[in-house]
Amino acid sequence: MAHKADMGRIGLLAAMTALFALLIAFLSFVVDARTMARERVLIAALAKRPLSSRPPVSSPGGTMRVYRIEGEPFFGSLVEIRAPQGSAFIAALFSASGEPQEIRLVDTSPALLPFDEARLFRDLVGKKSGRAVGSAESWIPRAAQKAFSEAAGTIRGAAAGGL
Amino acid sequence: MSEHGSAFVPQSFLLRFFVVCPLAAAVRSLSEGLAIGLGTALICLVLGLLAPPLRSLVPERLRFFFFLALSSGTTLLYGLALEYSLPAVAAGLGVYLPLLMVNELSLKALRQGTPLPSNTSAEAECSRQSRFAALAIEALMYLAFVIVFGAIRELAGLASLSLPWPDMPRIRLLPVPPLPMLVAPAGGFMLLGGAAALYKVWLRLRGRRSL
């Protein structure tokens, strides 16, 4: 009888844990959908053109998604630059070879992290673009090179895969 | 574990130091202080509130795993809520956000929420309420500490103060950051070391030698 009661309690516990797991899974889908919607708006605003309706391609680590610009040989992504002093989100347009064509600083954390969009773009591709936000620190180009080289690899893969 | 097989439970001061160490590395600004401080306090309070009533439901041999799952799930929910509302802050905190589930304060909440049974139910209820109140006060103290700590780091390292909401004004208070190193991870530990030294001096001034 005691064994039966114990089994009942374990069953109830398992059901509660399963419900909790389902709630977390559902909320993670909601967050993912909102993040994708935000990325699409930011990239479309940068490209000044709508995005293709095809589903985006994720990077191998799942850290970024690549979108195709409708009717143009360009791809867009929201690149996260991560460094010990903080992180920054950059909306970027790439060619099919993975070369950045246009970038825009979206957000930084901490909020007033020293950041120079124009210098960053110059360091990445030897061109000038965007507005200056502050003076750049030495870590930004290194962290940006790493993030953009990962993005370029994903974009080359997506272009080869026919996105 | 000690050589007698019992769990290692740090003494009071050491435990508090264990709580603030990972927070000191993670919190670089007022906004990050608010985000991680609220997370720590919330998870600690949820665990402190849910653990006692669930204790009788969970068999002894499953208790540890169940409460660890509860702690992880609550941390995940908070992380998702933060990612939904403030993606840049969530990304900035990175791996430190999931670490809240094994934060020493969360583990303390689990330990306090799952005590040995008392002799009478009235005694157990009274003891549960006082433990929860103590936990709530402690969680709020950590929240205040982390907010002040983040504000000092941001002010010294970036010469600014910013709240996590994008629409809020981001205030630049000084023309040049006085101590840019404070915004780097090492800066957090330097500031924590300074705070510990000040605490030691304060203890000596009050005539106490030990912590």
Side-chain angles (χ1 to χ4, degrees), chain B residues 118 120-133:
Chain B
S118 302
T120 64
S121 59
E123 193 183 316
E125 178 63 17
C126 182
S127 156
R128 189 182 71 80
Q129 282 178 359
S130 63
R131 269 197 307 271
F132 183 71

Side-chain angles (χ1 to χ4, degrees), chain A residues 105-122:
Chain A
L105 177 65
V106 175
D107 208 350
T108 63
S109 178
L112 288 179
L113 205 60
F115 207 91
D116 189 328
E117 207 175 59
R119 182 172 152 184
L120 172 66
F121 196 72
R122 201 166 57 236

Side-chain angles (χ1 to χ4, degrees), chain A residues 10-136:
Chain A
I10 291 174
L12 181 62
L13 210 63
M16 277 167 56
T17 313
L19 274 177
F20 195 40
L22 278 176
L23 174 72
I24 291 171
F26 170 73
L27 288 178
S28 65
F29 279 122
V30 171
V31 171
D32 220 32
R34 183 185 152 107
T35 308
M36 272 177 70
R38 177 175 169 259
E39 286 177 359
R40 292 187 83 93
V41 168
L42 288 166
I43 294 165
L46 182 66
K48 297 182 187 79
R49 284 190 69 87
L51 302 187
S52 160
S53 55
R54 279 183 242 175
V57 171
S58 293
S59 65
T63 51
M64 72 177 76
R65 280 177 284 256
V66 173
Y67 302 85
R68 178 76 193 251
I69 311 298
E70 186 72 60
E72 298 275 351
F74 294 123
F75 298 84
S77 185
L78 197 66
V79 182
E80 187 193 341
I81 300 178
R82 193 180 283 253
Q85 288 86 344
S87 58
F89 280 113
I90 308 272
L93 277 187
F94 295 88
S95 64
S97 62
E99 193 183 334
Q101 301 297 309
E102 190 79 41
I103 63 168
R104 183 173 296 158
L105 177 65
V106 175
D107 208 350
T108 63
S109 178
L112 288 179
L113 205 60
F115 207 91
D116 189 328
E117 207 175 59
R119 182 172 152 184
L120 172 66
F121 196 72
R122 201 166 57 236
D123 289 344
L124 284 168
V125 292
K127 295 175 188 172
K128 285 190 179 185
S129 174
R131 62 195 158 78
V133 178
S135 64

Side-chain angles (χ1 to χ4, degrees), chain B residues 11-26:
Chain B
Q11 50 118 321
S12 182
F13 179 80
L14 199 58
L15 187 138
R16 288 182 179 122
F17 206 71
F18 281 171
V19 175
V20 293
C21 269
L23 302 183

Side-chain angles (χ1 to χ4, degrees), chain B:
Chain B
M1 300 285 271
S2 75
E3 58 187 20
H4 301 293
S6 57
F8 168 67
V9 180
Q11 50 118 321
S12 182
F13 179 80
L14 199 58
L15 187 138
R16 288 182 179 122
F17 206 71
F18 281 171
V19 175
V20 293
C21 269
L23 302 183
V27 171
R28 291 165 297 202
S29 64
L30 177 59
S31 54
E32 288 184 350
L34 261 171
I36 213 157
L38 279 175
T40 310
L42 179 83
I43 289 155
C44 158
L45 293 181
V46 166
L47 293 178
L49 201 63
L50 288 184
L54 287 174
R55 187 180 187 278
S56 58
L57 194 68
V58 187
E60 179 82 45
R61 63 180 187 278
L62 295 178
R63 210 164 278 161
F64 171 76
F65 303 103
F66 179 77
F67 285 121
L68 195 63
L70 182 68
S71 171
S72 313
T74 314
T75 310
L76 266 173
L77 283 179
Y78 181 71
L80 285 172
L82 198 64
E83 203 181 321
Y84 184 87
S85 49
L86 304 163
V89 175
L93 287 172
V95 74
Y96 291 105
L97 209 51
L99 275 179
L100 288 181
M101 71 181 143
V102 285
N103 183 297
E104 207 35 68
L105 188 61
S106 306
L107 297 180
K108 186 181 179 185
L110 284 182
R111 279 199 297 271
Q112 285 197 353
T114 54
L116 291 170
S118 302
N119 290 336
T120 64
S121 59
E123 193 183 316
E125 178 63 17
C126 182
S127 156
R128 189 182 71 80
Q129 282 178 359
S130 63
R131 269 197 307 271
F132 183 71
L135 206 57
I137 291 168
E138 196 163 0
L140 291 176
M141 279 169 63
Y142 283 115
L143 173 61
F145 173 82
V146 172
I147 289 172
V148 171
F149 198 85
I152 292 173
R153 282 186 76 185
E154 188 180 0
L155 195 58
L158 294 171
S160 63
L161 278 180
S162 54
L163 285 167
W165 300 277
D167 302 335
M168 294 296 285
R170 293 160 180 194
I171 312 156
R172 188 170 286 283
L173 292 169
L174 302 165
V176 181
L179 284 167
M181 173 127 193
L182 275 197
V183 86
F189 289 109
M190 283 164 62
L191 194 60
L192 188 62
L198 279 178
Y199 181 63
K200 185 90 178 162
V201 168
W202 180 70
L203 279 181
R204 291 222 169 176
L205 288 176
R206 291 186 65 194
R208 287 172 58 189
R209 283 189 169 270
S210 66
L211 298 168

